[in-house]
Amino acid sequence: MSLVLVVLEQGAGKWHKMSWEAVAAGQQIAQQAGMSMASVVIGQGVAGMAAEVPGKVFAIEHALLEHYTADGYTAALAELIKAEQPALVIFPHTYQVRDFAPKLATRFGRVLISDVTQVKAAPGTVSFVRQLFQGKLNADVSGQGGVTFISVQAGSYRADQMVAAPAEVQVVTPALDASAIRQKPEAPFRESTRAVDLTAADIIVSVGRGIKEKDNIHLVEELAAAMGAELAASRPICDNGWLPMERQVGSSGQTVSPKVYMAIGISGAIQHLVGMKGAKTIVAINKDPNAPIFEVADYGICGDLFEVVPALIEEVKKARG
Amino acid sequence: MKIIVAIKQVPARDSQLKIQSGAQWIEEDDLTFEINEPDAYALEEALQLKEKHGGEVVALCLGPARAASTIREALAKGADRAIHISEESINGLDTLAVAKLLAGAIKSEAPDLVLTGLQSDDLGYGQAGVVLAELLGVPHATIIMQVSIEGGTLRVKRELEDGWFQFVTMPLPAVLTIQSGINKLRYATLMGIKKAKTKEIKVLSAADAGGAGTAVSTLDRVYVPLRTKVSTIFEGDAKSTAAQLVEKLKFEVRVL
């Protein structure tokens, strides 16, 4: 029976939460395609963590794997894949996976089908749905023969749908060569303690490229003030220094789930959506009717933000008396 | 120090996309094209490294004839010369094929450093740089926010998730994928645009670059995503839509 291998992610003994989404994906795909499934955890002294994983799980342990390196992880996983010959290898689409999984796939003459949102699996055939053009379009992609490597997008599979089972841990010790690990990582750090905790806000007014220039930021500041909201932004706004980095929402910024998230002039690239799609109510104001932000919006206004926002400020002030 | 920057030309960001009949790609005829944004930051980083350490910046672009405008722009901003792997049907190529062609063009150049953007705005696979490093047999690091070079050693700041960062060192030569926002982009000067006209653009065919090999993944169908969430889109002028939204926020969502 062919094997689906799911690669979990841990750092300093803590699970990356997307690991469980990848396990749920693996379980569902294995069942639909009539395949068996196993998981794999990589690090030093990770056998104990592996015991928390449902079903068959390989714990790849080595002193050289204590800290993540692209070279070390690639060599360790390549050895396991050669031995176990999976048909499909599933990763969570994390920053770390983006750093090494394409290299691993290349070693097998394959590509990583990255950032997959849906898997269409039936016995004998599997194809993968992924987004193009920052989420404006979808594409069906398939692998041609051999092992297929995919990474699944955050939120595409639900961790709470993972089926529990007792762990069967198998510890594996790869043959690693210290001189073949060329990256020397230093300890991770945070730039500064965050002065702004967006996660505590009930209402967030967030601004994107549509605001056009720094001098227009005051418009959304006024709206945020009128609504009693925290001000946030998509990445390009912070890159340009129009708002500080600590106000950034998205995969490289904060992940928020307020009662209301107002996305103003934000197109809704996936890197932004993963940071805010947990909001209870999403409002989108954008001039492009095809912007992906409208996909997740509960309420939308398709129009010029430079007309809509001033009107909103006035209406909000009226409503709050 | 020789730096190669791999750049891609993609449809302009606010393009209205139409799907081709046959659903294999989008209609390109009415689109305007521009440099892939993260690649613009990679180019800028290369130019700044050259200003600091001396040497040469070579822009490398795989793309159809239209990509020449993006290559000229890179030259106008300060790249010393360019290599254009001219291939009309790049949309059928998977990332391994793309990286093979880039690697084929890079090998004989023997650069000290290869930079590229962390992902493309069109396909968005985010892996050309990583695959390239493996094919060239050199180390790499991704999503880079700072680059420093001392002696033969590269020290870079990697962006991790959730506001975390990490410094990583590695020997040269190496490949880095650059994150948007790492630096401040420059504009081409009039002098730069003038100079660009005399700079060398070496045109290679796919065969010259060693060939793309057979596809190991295929793009089967392109389509507009089905809307899964039912949204209420307010109609009317600014004042009326604003009033309707505030009504909902006050009486249904109850946050005002």
Side-chain angles (χ1 to χ4, degrees):
Chain A
M1 203 199 263
S2 339
L3 177 70
V4 175
L5 187 67
V6 177
V7 182
L8 282 72
E9 184 168 321
Q10 65 85 26
K14 284 203 192 96
W15 290 110
H16 191 297
K17 63 180 192 293
M18 278 173 66
S19 297
W20 309 118
E21 297 177 12
V23 172
Q27 288 177 336
Q28 288 168 33
I29 295 160
Q31 195 190 20
Q32 287 156 7
M35 299 199 265
S36 62
M37 188 198 124
S39 301
V40 51
V41 189
I42 305 157
Q44 165 71 331
V46 289
M49 291 184 82
E52 297 168 27
V53 179
K56 171 90 186 166
V57 50
F58 297 98
I60 304 184
E61 295 194 314
H62 198 291
L64 292 172
L65 298 173
E66 186 184 358
H67 301 292
Y68 165 79
T69 60
D71 285 343
Y73 269 45
T74 300
L77 268 174
E79 198 179 302
L80 183 75
I81 289 168
K82 270 183 200 136
E84 298 298 324
Q85 305 265 315
L88 179 64
V89 182
I90 301 176
F91 298 90
H93 191 67
T94 62
Y95 276 30
Q96 183 167 298
V97 162
R98 291 165 67 169
D99 193 63
F100 78 92
K103 177 181 175 74
L104 177 67
T106 306
R107 209 158 274 193
F108 289 86
R110 315 295 303 163
V111 296
L112 174 71
I113 300 174
S114 57
D115 215 3
V116 166
T117 56
Q118 193 193 335
V119 177
K120 297 174 175 171
T125 137
V126 189
S127 75
F128 308 95
V129 181
R130 62 185 304 282
Q131 296 173 318
L132 304 179
F133 295 97
Q134 313 263 321
K136 283 187 192 166
L137 298 178
N138 272 1
D140 289 347
V141 180
S142 51
Q144 302 298 315
V147 51
T148 301
F149 295 85
I150 70 165
S151 61
V152 290
Q153 187 174 94
S156 298
Y157 287 83
R158 295 175 53 146
D160 60 10
Q161 288 176 356
M162 183 172 73
V163 180
E168 302 163 44
V169 182
Q170 183 182 336
V171 177
V172 181
T173 311
L176 295 182
D177 170 9
S179 67
I181 299 175
R182 298 161 293 185
Q183 298 94 354
K184 307 291 173 219
E186 298 171 28
F189 64 95
R190 265 196 165 139
E191 209 84 289
S192 58
T193 48
R194 276 180 180 156
V196 185
D197 183 11
L198 295 175
T199 61
D202 276 343
I203 311 176
I204 293 177
V205 169
S206 193
V207 60
R209 279 177 200 272
I211 199 74
K212 292 203 176 107
E213 48 190 298
K214 187 174 186 179
D215 289 348
N216 297 330
I217 294 282
H218 71 91
L219 258 183
V220 284
E221 276 170 347
E222 282 166 37
L223 178 61
M227 294 185 74
E230 275 289 355
L231 187 62
S234 65
R235 179 162 190 123
I237 301 301
C238 302
D239 280 348
N240 286 334
W242 298 352
L243 283 174
M245 282 289 178
E246 62 197 25
R247 292 201 178 266
Q248 187 192 326
V249 166
S251 54
S252 50
Q254 300 192 47
T255 300
V256 297
S257 43
K259 284 187 187 150
V260 176
Y261 189 89
M262 300 251 294
I264 298 174
I266 292 175
S267 68
I270 182 60
Q271 294 87 341
H272 187 73
L273 295 187
V274 297
M276 48 63 79
K277 65 184 177 186
K280 203 150 169 270
T281 300
I282 296 171
V283 179
I285 299 170
N286 203 295
K287 68 175 184 346
D288 177 5
N290 299 319
I293 193 72
F294 286 117
E295 299 289 318
V296 298
D298 298 279
Y299 301 112
I301 296 176
C302 181
D304 182 351
L305 75 88
F306 298 103
E307 292 174 15
V308 175
V309 173
L312 256 180
I313 294 169
E314 202 176 303
E315 291 297 329
V316 168
K317 282 182 179 163
K318 241 194 273 172
R320 302 189 93 193
Chain B
M1 169 128 179
K2 188 198 267 191
I3 306 172
I4 292 190
V5 190
I7 58 177
K8 184 176 188 180
Q9 191 188 50
V10 297
R13 226 161 224 281
D14 51 1
S15 297
Q16 293 299 318
L17 304 173
K18 281 193 214 116
I19 292 164
Q20 242 176 21
S21 66
Q24 295 298 297
W25 193 240
I26 53 163
E27 292 283 359
E28 292 196 341
D29 292 352
D30 298 331
L31 296 180
T32 52
F33 290 85
E34 61 189 17
I35 188 169
N36 178 50
E37 188 180 71
D39 297 343
Y41 285 98
L43 173 65
E44 178 61 38
E45 195 59 25
L47 296 174
Q48 291 188 13
L49 286 169
K50 181 194 159 182
E51 283 160 7
K52 216 175 286 171
H53 301 280
E56 185 187 30
V57 172
V58 183
L60 168 64
C61 182
L62 164 63
R66 63 167 156 75
S69 61
T70 291
I71 293 170
R72 281 282 169 221
E73 204 184 302
L75 293 172
K77 284 188 171 185
D80 297 287
R81 59 189 171 90
I83 303 169
H84 182 180
I85 309 170
S86 187
E87 170 62 50
E88 286 306 312
S89 55
I90 54 164
N91 302 316
L93 299 176
D94 60 31
T95 41
L96 183 59
V98 166
K100 275 183 179 166
L101 291 172
L102 295 176
I106 289 171
K107 264 177 197 151
S108 60
E109 293 280 343
D112 300 294
L113 187 61
V114 179
L115 303 184
T116 190
L118 81 164
Q119 65 191 27
S120 60
D121 288 337
D122 53 358
L123 287 171
Y125 276 100
Q127 52 188 288
V130 180
V131 176
L132 192 53
E134 174 72 7
L135 295 176
L136 293 171
V138 302
H140 77 273
T142 55
I143 319 187
I144 297 307
M145 286 298 283
Q146 194 181 304
V147 182
S148 59
I149 298 166
E150 263 175 61
T153 302
L154 184 60
R155 186 164 181 262
V156 296
K157 183 174 160 191
R158 269 185 77 207
E159 183 180 300
L160 309 178
E161 286 163 41
D162 211 18
W164 289 84
F165 297 90
Q166 175 182 45
F167 281 100
V168 181
T169 54
M170 70 196 80
L172 292 171
V175 178
L176 301 176
T177 78
I178 301 294
Q179 171 67 294
S180 290
I182 182 176
N183 48 39
K184 206 163 164 13
L185 299 178
R186 73 187 66 192
Y187 293 98
T189 59
L190 271 176
M191 181 61 91
I193 294 166
K194 219 169 164 185
K195 270 190 184 163
K197 291 180 180 147
T198 62
K199 287 177 178 171
E200 180 202 52
I201 302 178
K202 186 158 102 186
V203 179
L204 302 178
S205 67
D208 294 335
T214 21
V216 294
S217 80
T218 51
L219 192 62
D220 302 325
R221 190 169 74 95
V222 176
Y223 52 99
V224 177
L226 268 183
R227 204 164 269 203
T228 48
K229 193 161 179 175
V230 183
S231 330
T232 306
I233 307 290
F234 301 114
E235 303 285 342
D237 62 13
K239 189 171 167 43
S240 141
T241 52
Q244 294 174 65
L245 174 60
V246 168
E247 168 87 9
K248 290 280 182 200
L249 292 178
K250 183 162 183 176
F251 296 104
E252 287 191 21
V253 188
R254 295 197 201 103
V255 289
L256 292 181

